[in-house]
Amino acid sequence: MRMKGRVALVTGAASGIGKDIAETFAREGAKVVIADVSFDNAQAAAADIQKSGGVALAVAMDVTQEQQVDAGIAEAINAFGGVDVLVSNAGIQHIAAVVDLSLDQWRKLLAIHLDGAFLTTRACLRHMVHSRRGGSIIYMGSVHSKEASPLKAPYVTAKHGLIGLCKVVAKEGAAHGVRANVVCPGFVRTPLVEKQIPEQAKELGISEQEVIKNVMLKETVDGEFTTTEDVAAVTLFLAAFPTNALTGQSIVVSHGWFMQ
Ligand code: NAD
């Protein structure tokens, strides 16, 4: 029970990686807040956790909307008495070459990944500092926080940007017992990835099997996808780590696709 007595808010936790992190934290004793723009799916995810004996609350939150973020985090604090861990995880992907990318598409992706990370960080950090309870802030980066791929300019830009935000929060948060770190997964078969397999096949003029084998998993040591469980285990390790010895770091979990 490595998270016993702690409150964790996970954005984008109605699906994929965030859902597994919320379930893992709940099994480890945390009270979890499932914050997602898709409120129906967030409620379903919270209900699943409750059925397994965990404590969970669903909150409607578009992470790009300042008022929704502030209100959702206030709701979580009211319900559970505070927030100890933020996992800023909500995200989308958009597959297009730079020459075909519209400004709206660029701005939308940056808003969800970067405005969302900033707004949720600010609200949680204010609370962690003022309440003197400290905390742990974890950003869902990607191998694309370290490496580039074609057709993913806004995503690669945003994921690199999260490392900068993390390092600043690690420095500003240290005096208040707040740590900040980034988890950087390789490809995980969530709805976000299922959607881009046919999109990449079309853009690159190859089959879906070739996208999986020759694009997504080509550089891994064993041709395997990373799983939501792998990512949740690393996130749990960071969330439960007790001191400032581990802060401002980014940990890659990618079957060796990227080696530091
Ligand atoms: P997913 O599509 O399964 O889940 C994303 C969740 O985010 C959904 O529940 C969605 O409703 C929510 N969301 C989208 N926009 C939102 C907004 N504006 N406000 C609040 N919630 C919003 O995707 P996933 O693969 O689980 O991705 C989760 C995170 O992991 C993302 O940041 C993604 O970039 C990152 N990531 C994924 C992979 C992968 O291969 N799947 C690899 C590396 C990093």
Side-chain angles (χ1 to χ4, degrees), residues 15 17 36-37 61-63 89 140-141 155 159 186 188 190-191 193:
S15 172
I17 291 171
D36 205 289
V37 71
M61 184 191 291
D62 179 340
V63 295
N89 165 80
M140 196 50 62
Y155 189 84
K159 292 302 191 190
V188 184
T190 65
V193 161

Side-chain angles (χ1 to χ4, degrees), residues 2 25 51 54 71 126 144 158 167 172-173 200 233 240 245:
R2 280 172 284 177
F25 282 8
K51 265 184 235 145
R126 282 176 175 166
H144 287 115
K167 289 177 178 174
E172 292 185 3
Q200 289 222 44

Side-chain angles (χ1 to χ4, degrees), residues 7-9 33 73 76-77 81-86 124 127-128 133-135:
V7 179
L9 186 142
V33 183
I73 288 169
I77 292 166
V83 171
D84 303 290
V85 176
L86 163 67
C124 287
H127 160 70
M128 288 167 178
R133 64 197 282 149

Side-chain angles (χ1 to χ4, degrees), residues 15 27 35 37 88 100 104-105 123 160 166-167 188-189 192 203 234 247 249:
S15 172
R27 274 197 306 276
V37 71
S88 172
D100 298 325
D104 278 353
Q105 290 159 343
H160 275 66
C166 164
K167 289 177 178 174
V188 184
R189 278 197 100 151
L192 180 145
E203 285 284 334
V234 175
T247 194
Q249 304 304 309

